[in-house]
Amino acid sequence: MGVPEREHVQPKRKSKARWLLHLFPLPAFILYTLFVVYPILSAFTYSMYEWKGIARGAFVGLQNFLTLFQVEPFNKLFWNAFGHNVIYFLVEMVVQNGIAFILAFLIYRKIRGAGFLKIAYFMPQLLSVIVVGFLWKLILNPNYGALNTFLAKLGLEEWAKPWLGDPDTALLAIILVNCWFGIGFAVLIFLAGLQSIPEELIEAARLDGAKGITMLGRIILPLMMPSITIMTIFTFIQAFEAFELVYAMQGSMGEPFHSTDTLAVYFYRLAFSGSGGAGDVSIGLGSALAVVLFFIVASVSAFSLRVMRKREIQH
Protein backbone atom coordinates (compact mmCIF):
# COMPACT_ATOMS: atom_id res chain seq x y z
CA MET A 1 0.00 0.00 0.00
CA GLY A 2 1.63 3.26 -1.14
CA VAL A 3 2.22 6.33 1.03
CA PRO A 4 0.22 9.33 -0.19
CA GLU A 5 2.33 11.82 -2.13
CA ARG A 6 1.08 14.62 0.15
CA GLU A 7 2.91 13.07 3.13
CA HIS A 8 6.23 13.15 1.20
CA VAL A 9 5.83 16.79 0.15
CA GLN A 10 4.97 18.14 3.62
CA PRO A 11 8.33 17.26 5.33
CA LYS A 12 10.20 18.77 2.37
CA ARG A 13 8.25 22.01 2.76
CA LYS A 14 9.01 22.11 6.49
CA SER A 15 12.72 21.52 5.82
CA LYS A 16 12.77 24.32 3.24
CA ALA A 17 10.97 26.66 5.65
CA ARG A 18 13.59 25.96 8.33
CA TRP A 19 16.40 26.86 5.94
CA LEU A 20 14.64 30.09 5.02
CA LEU A 21 14.32 30.99 8.71
CA HIS A 22 18.07 30.56 9.10
CA LEU A 23 18.65 33.07 6.31
CA PHE A 24 16.76 35.92 8.02
CA PRO A 25 19.61 36.83 10.44
CA LEU A 26 22.13 36.79 7.57
CA PRO A 27 21.89 40.53 6.64
CA ALA A 28 22.38 41.54 10.29
CA PHE A 29 25.28 39.10 10.62
CA ILE A 30 26.96 40.53 7.51
CA LEU A 31 26.57 44.12 8.75
CA TYR A 32 27.85 43.16 12.21
CA THR A 33 30.88 41.42 10.70
CA LEU A 34 31.60 44.34 8.38
CA PHE A 35 31.27 47.16 10.90
CA VAL A 36 32.21 45.48 14.23
CA VAL A 37 34.22 42.28 13.80
CA TYR A 38 36.37 43.47 10.89
CA PRO A 39 37.42 46.78 12.56
CA ILE A 40 38.35 44.91 15.76
CA LEU A 41 40.49 42.39 13.87
CA SER A 42 42.01 45.22 11.83
CA ALA A 43 42.98 47.08 14.99
CA PHE A 44 44.72 43.93 16.29
CA THR A 45 46.66 43.67 13.02
CA TYR A 46 47.55 47.37 12.73
CA SER A 47 48.81 47.49 16.31
CA MET A 48 51.59 45.03 15.39
CA TYR A 49 53.15 47.22 12.70
CA GLU A 50 55.16 50.40 12.44
CA TRP A 51 53.40 53.13 10.50
CA LYS A 52 54.76 56.07 8.52
CA GLY A 53 51.71 58.25 8.16
CA ILE A 54 49.13 55.95 6.60
CA ALA A 55 51.75 53.65 5.03
CA ARG A 56 52.33 50.38 6.87
CA GLY A 57 55.96 49.61 7.65
CA ALA A 58 57.79 46.78 9.36
CA PHE A 59 56.32 44.28 11.80
CA VAL A 60 57.17 45.40 15.37
CA GLY A 61 55.18 42.95 17.50
CA LEU A 62 54.21 44.43 20.87
CA GLN A 63 56.41 47.51 20.53
CA ASN A 64 53.44 49.87 20.13
CA PHE A 65 51.96 48.57 23.39
CA LEU A 66 55.29 49.02 25.20
CA THR A 67 55.52 52.57 23.86
CA LEU A 68 51.98 53.30 25.00
CA PHE A 69 52.69 52.19 28.58
CA GLN A 70 56.38 53.00 29.07
CA VAL A 71 57.37 56.00 26.93
CA GLU A 72 56.53 59.59 27.84
CA PRO A 73 54.28 61.41 27.13
CA PHE A 74 52.15 58.47 25.95
CA ASN A 75 52.06 56.67 29.31
CA LYS A 76 51.14 59.82 31.25
CA LEU A 77 48.41 60.75 28.77
CA PHE A 78 47.05 57.19 28.83
CA TRP A 79 46.73 56.99 32.62
CA ASN A 80 45.36 60.54 32.76
CA ALA A 81 42.62 59.61 30.28
CA PHE A 82 41.99 56.29 32.04
CA GLY A 83 41.46 58.10 35.36
CA HIS A 84 38.94 60.41 33.71
CA ASN A 85 37.01 57.41 32.38
CA VAL A 86 36.87 55.95 35.89
CA ILE A 87 35.54 59.27 37.24
CA TYR A 88 33.05 59.35 34.37
CA PHE A 89 31.72 55.92 35.37
CA LEU A 90 31.54 56.62 39.12
CA VAL A 91 29.71 59.95 38.73
CA GLU A 92 27.25 58.45 36.25
CA MET A 93 26.54 55.52 38.57
CA VAL A 94 25.84 57.80 41.53
CA VAL A 95 24.18 60.79 39.87
CA GLN A 96 22.52 59.46 36.72
CA ASN A 97 21.48 56.02 37.93
CA GLY A 98 20.73 57.17 41.48
CA ILE A 99 18.37 59.93 40.34
CA ALA A 100 16.92 57.67 37.64
CA PHE A 101 16.04 55.00 40.21
CA ILE A 102 14.30 57.55 42.45
CA LEU A 103 12.30 58.92 39.52
CA ALA A 104 11.41 55.40 38.33
CA PHE A 105 10.26 54.47 41.83
CA LEU A 106 8.03 57.58 42.01
CA ILE A 107 6.47 56.75 38.63
CA TYR A 108 6.05 53.13 39.76
CA ARG A 109 4.11 54.39 42.78
CA LYS A 110 1.75 56.07 40.28
CA ILE A 111 2.25 59.69 41.33
CA ARG A 112 0.16 62.28 39.52
CA GLY A 113 1.35 62.90 35.96
CA ALA A 114 3.42 59.70 35.82
CA GLY A 115 2.67 59.17 32.13
CA PHE A 116 3.81 62.67 31.21
CA LEU A 117 6.96 62.32 33.34
CA LYS A 118 8.00 59.14 31.49
CA ILE A 119 7.85 61.04 28.20
CA ALA A 120 9.52 64.17 29.60
CA TYR A 121 12.49 62.31 31.06
CA PHE A 122 13.08 60.45 27.79
CA MET A 123 12.85 63.55 25.56
CA PRO A 124 16.62 64.35 25.61
CA GLN A 125 17.30 60.90 24.10
CA LEU A 126 15.53 62.06 20.93
CA LEU A 127 18.26 64.65 20.33
CA SER A 128 21.60 63.99 18.68
CA VAL A 129 24.57 63.88 21.08
CA ILE A 130 26.30 66.53 18.95
CA VAL A 131 23.26 68.81 19.23
CA VAL A 132 23.14 68.27 23.00
CA GLY A 133 26.84 69.11 23.31
CA PHE A 134 26.49 72.28 21.22
CA LEU A 135 23.44 73.49 23.18
CA TRP A 136 25.07 72.92 26.56
CA LYS A 137 28.26 74.58 25.36
CA LEU A 138 26.14 77.69 24.74
CA ILE A 139 24.42 77.36 28.12
CA LEU A 140 27.77 77.08 29.94
CA ASN A 141 29.43 79.94 28.05
CA PRO A 142 31.07 82.22 30.66
CA ASN A 143 30.10 85.47 28.89
CA TYR A 144 26.55 85.05 27.64
CA GLY A 145 25.59 81.54 28.80
CA ALA A 146 22.20 80.97 30.40
CA LEU A 147 23.65 79.38 33.55
CA ASN A 148 25.90 82.27 34.57
CA THR A 149 23.21 84.78 33.59
CA PHE A 150 20.73 82.96 35.82
CA LEU A 151 23.19 82.92 38.73
CA ALA A 152 23.81 86.65 38.30
CA LYS A 153 20.08 87.40 38.42
CA LEU A 154 19.86 85.44 41.67
CA GLY A 155 22.67 87.55 43.13
CA LEU A 156 25.12 84.64 43.03
CA GLU A 157 27.74 86.17 40.74
CA GLU A 158 30.52 84.60 42.79
CA TRP A 159 29.22 81.17 41.78
CA ALA A 160 29.60 81.95 38.07
CA LYS A 161 32.55 80.18 36.46
CA PRO A 162 34.07 79.48 33.07
CA TRP A 163 32.68 75.97 33.47
CA LEU A 164 34.39 74.46 30.42
CA GLY A 165 37.50 76.60 30.72
CA ASP A 166 38.43 75.66 34.28
CA PRO A 167 40.35 72.35 34.64
CA ASP A 168 38.61 71.79 38.00
CA THR A 169 35.09 71.93 36.56
CA ALA A 170 35.34 71.05 32.85
CA LEU A 171 35.21 67.25 33.17
CA LEU A 172 32.47 67.30 35.81
CA ALA A 173 30.38 69.68 33.68
CA ILE A 174 30.57 67.30 30.70
CA ILE A 175 29.72 64.28 32.85
CA LEU A 176 26.69 66.02 34.38
CA VAL A 177 25.47 66.96 30.89
CA ASN A 178 25.83 63.29 29.94
CA CYS A 179 23.80 62.34 33.05
CA TRP A 180 21.05 64.76 32.01
CA PHE A 181 21.07 63.25 28.52
CA GLY A 182 21.02 59.60 29.65
CA ILE A 183 18.71 59.75 32.65
CA GLY A 184 15.57 59.01 30.61
CA PHE A 185 16.91 55.69 29.31
CA ALA A 186 17.93 54.67 32.85
CA VAL A 187 14.45 55.56 34.14
CA LEU A 188 12.84 53.25 31.57
CA ILE A 189 15.17 50.35 32.44
CA PHE A 190 14.57 50.72 36.19
CA LEU A 191 10.83 51.19 35.69
CA ALA A 192 10.69 47.99 33.63
CA GLY A 193 12.48 46.20 36.47
CA LEU A 194 10.04 47.54 39.06
CA GLN A 195 7.01 46.62 36.98
CA SER A 196 8.32 43.07 36.52
CA ILE A 197 8.11 42.41 40.28
CA PRO A 198 4.94 40.37 40.99
CA GLU A 199 2.49 42.40 43.04
CA GLU A 200 1.71 39.40 45.24
CA LEU A 201 5.33 39.38 46.49
CA ILE A 202 5.02 43.03 47.51
CA GLU A 203 1.71 42.34 49.27
CA ALA A 204 3.15 39.31 51.06
CA ALA A 205 6.08 41.40 52.27
CA ARG A 206 3.70 44.08 53.55
CA LEU A 207 1.73 41.47 55.46
CA ASP A 208 5.01 40.33 57.04
CA GLY A 209 5.60 43.87 58.25
CA ALA A 210 8.13 45.05 55.64
CA LYS A 211 7.85 48.73 54.73
CA GLY A 212 9.94 51.76 53.83
CA ILE A 213 13.70 51.14 53.72
CA THR A 214 13.24 47.49 54.73
CA MET A 215 10.92 46.88 51.77
CA LEU A 216 13.32 48.66 49.43
CA GLY A 217 16.52 47.01 50.64
CA ARG A 218 15.33 43.45 51.24
CA ILE A 219 12.58 42.97 48.67
CA ILE A 220 12.63 45.46 45.81
CA LEU A 221 16.36 45.88 45.15
CA PRO A 222 17.17 42.13 45.13
CA LEU A 223 14.29 41.50 42.74
CA MET A 224 15.53 44.34 40.50
CA MET A 225 19.05 42.93 40.09
CA PRO A 226 18.55 42.09 36.37
CA SER A 227 17.76 45.75 35.62
CA ILE A 228 20.57 46.96 37.88
CA THR A 229 22.98 44.58 36.12
CA ILE A 230 21.95 45.88 32.70
CA MET A 231 22.34 49.54 33.71
CA THR A 232 25.66 48.98 35.50
CA ILE A 233 27.25 47.28 32.48
CA PHE A 234 25.68 49.74 30.04
CA THR A 235 26.95 52.68 32.11
CA PHE A 236 30.46 51.20 32.27
CA ILE A 237 30.59 50.66 28.51
CA GLN A 238 29.21 54.13 27.81
CA ALA A 239 31.63 55.78 30.26
CA PHE A 240 34.71 54.05 28.84
CA GLU A 241 33.68 54.78 25.26
CA ALA A 242 32.81 58.42 25.96
CA PHE A 243 33.70 60.44 22.88
CA GLU A 244 30.87 62.27 21.07
CA LEU A 245 29.83 64.58 23.90
CA VAL A 246 33.42 65.37 24.91
CA TYR A 247 34.30 66.08 21.29
CA ALA A 248 31.22 68.26 20.76
CA MET A 249 31.90 70.35 23.87
CA GLN A 250 35.71 70.45 24.01
CA GLY A 251 37.08 69.14 20.73
CA SER A 252 39.76 66.46 20.39
CA MET A 253 42.52 68.10 22.47
CA GLY A 254 41.05 67.34 25.89
CA GLU A 255 41.18 71.00 26.86
CA PRO A 256 41.88 72.66 29.17
CA PHE A 257 45.27 71.04 29.83
CA HIS A 258 44.04 67.48 29.07
CA SER A 259 41.52 67.75 31.92
CA THR A 260 38.72 66.35 29.72
CA ASP A 261 40.72 63.62 27.99
CA THR A 262 39.14 60.19 27.78
CA LEU A 263 40.61 57.06 26.23
CA ALA A 264 38.39 57.38 23.16
CA VAL A 265 39.36 61.04 22.65
CA TYR A 266 43.04 60.19 23.11
CA PHE A 267 42.69 57.35 20.60
CA TYR A 268 41.18 59.74 18.05
CA ARG A 269 44.04 62.17 18.59
CA LEU A 270 46.68 59.47 18.21
CA ALA A 271 45.23 57.72 15.19
CA PHE A 272 43.78 60.59 13.16
CA SER A 273 44.85 64.08 14.23
CA GLY A 274 48.59 63.60 14.78
CA SER A 275 48.51 65.54 18.08
CA GLY A 276 48.59 62.70 20.58
CA GLY A 277 52.23 63.12 21.53
CA ALA A 278 53.71 61.42 18.47
CA GLY A 279 54.03 64.58 16.39
CA ASP A 280 52.35 62.83 13.45
CA VAL A 281 49.47 60.46 12.78
CA SER A 282 50.29 57.22 14.61
CA ILE A 283 47.96 54.48 13.44
CA GLY A 284 50.03 51.82 15.23
CA LEU A 285 49.80 53.51 18.63
CA GLY A 286 46.16 54.39 18.06
CA SER A 287 45.35 50.78 17.18
CA ALA A 288 47.23 49.57 20.26
CA LEU A 289 45.15 51.91 22.40
CA ALA A 290 41.95 50.67 20.70
CA VAL A 291 42.93 47.06 21.50
CA VAL A 292 43.63 47.95 25.15
CA LEU A 293 40.29 49.77 25.39
CA PHE A 294 38.50 46.77 23.86
CA PHE A 295 40.04 44.40 26.42
CA ILE A 296 39.18 46.74 29.32
CA VAL A 297 35.53 47.04 28.28
CA ALA A 298 35.09 43.36 27.33
CA SER A 299 36.82 41.86 30.38
CA VAL A 300 35.27 44.15 33.01
CA SER A 301 31.80 43.81 31.45
CA ALA A 302 32.05 40.00 31.34
CA PHE A 303 33.33 39.82 34.92
CA SER A 304 30.64 42.20 36.19
CA LEU A 305 27.94 40.26 34.39
CA ARG A 306 29.10 36.99 35.92
CA VAL A 307 29.32 38.42 39.46
CA MET A 308 26.01 40.27 39.34
CA ARG A 309 24.13 37.37 37.76
CA LYS A 310 24.91 35.29 40.84
CA ARG A 311 23.12 37.86 42.98
CA GLU A 312 19.94 37.84 40.93
CA ILE A 313 16.83 36.35 42.46
CA GLN A 314 14.46 34.37 40.30
CA HIS A 315 10.77 35.12 40.83
Side-chain angles (χ1 to χ4, degrees), residues 148-277:
N148 282 353
T149 302
F150 179 70
L151 292 173
K153 288 187 176 181
L154 292 178
L156 301 172
E157 292 90 347
E158 67 276 7
W159 287 21
K161 290 178 178 291
W163 301 99
L164 296 176
D166 186 343
D168 295 329
T169 59
L171 180 65
L172 183 60
I174 293 173
I175 296 173
L176 292 178
V177 171
N178 198 96
C179 292
W180 171 84
F181 176 72
I183 202 167
F185 178 78
V187 166
L188 291 183
I189 295 296
F190 288 137
L191 184 60
L194 287 165
Q195 291 175 339
S196 69
I197 300 174
E199 192 62 34
E200 55 267 22
L201 291 179
I202 301 295
E203 291 299 327
R206 286 199 185 108
L207 293 174
D208 288 339
K211 59 182 179 180
I213 299 298
T214 304
M215 173 75 79
L216 182 64
R218 296 187 176 181
I219 306 298
I220 294 177
L221 286 178
L223 293 173
M224 277 192 64
M225 279 307 295
S227 297
I228 294 173
T229 299
I230 290 170
M231 271 315 301
T232 300
I233 294 174
F234 178 83
T235 303
F236 178 81
I237 294 172
Q238 191 275 328
F240 269 79
E241 294 182 349
F243 174 77
E244 294 98 331
L245 191 62
V246 181
Y247 185 83
M249 297 181 72
Q250 292 293 80
S252 64
M253 298 303 296
E255 296 292 350
F257 307 115
H258 301 299
S259 63
T260 58
D261 247 349
T262 63
L263 290 175
V265 172
Y266 184 39
F267 157 75
Y268 175 85
R269 212 160 60 243
L270 270 175
F272 301 113
S273 74
S275 53

Side-chain angles (χ1 to χ4, degrees), residues 71 78 101 108 122 125 177 180 186 197 223 244 262 289 308:
V71 178
F78 173 84
F101 179 80
Y108 172 70
F122 194 76
Q125 287 284 320
V177 171
W180 171 84
I197 300 174
L223 293 173
E244 294 98 331
T262 63
L289 178 55
M308 298 185 79

Side-chain angles (χ1 to χ4, degrees), residues 136-149:
W136 274 98
K137 191 173 183 179
L138 294 176
I139 292 171
L140 298 174
N141 187 283
N143 299 317
Y144 54 81
L147 180 57
N148 282 353
T149 302

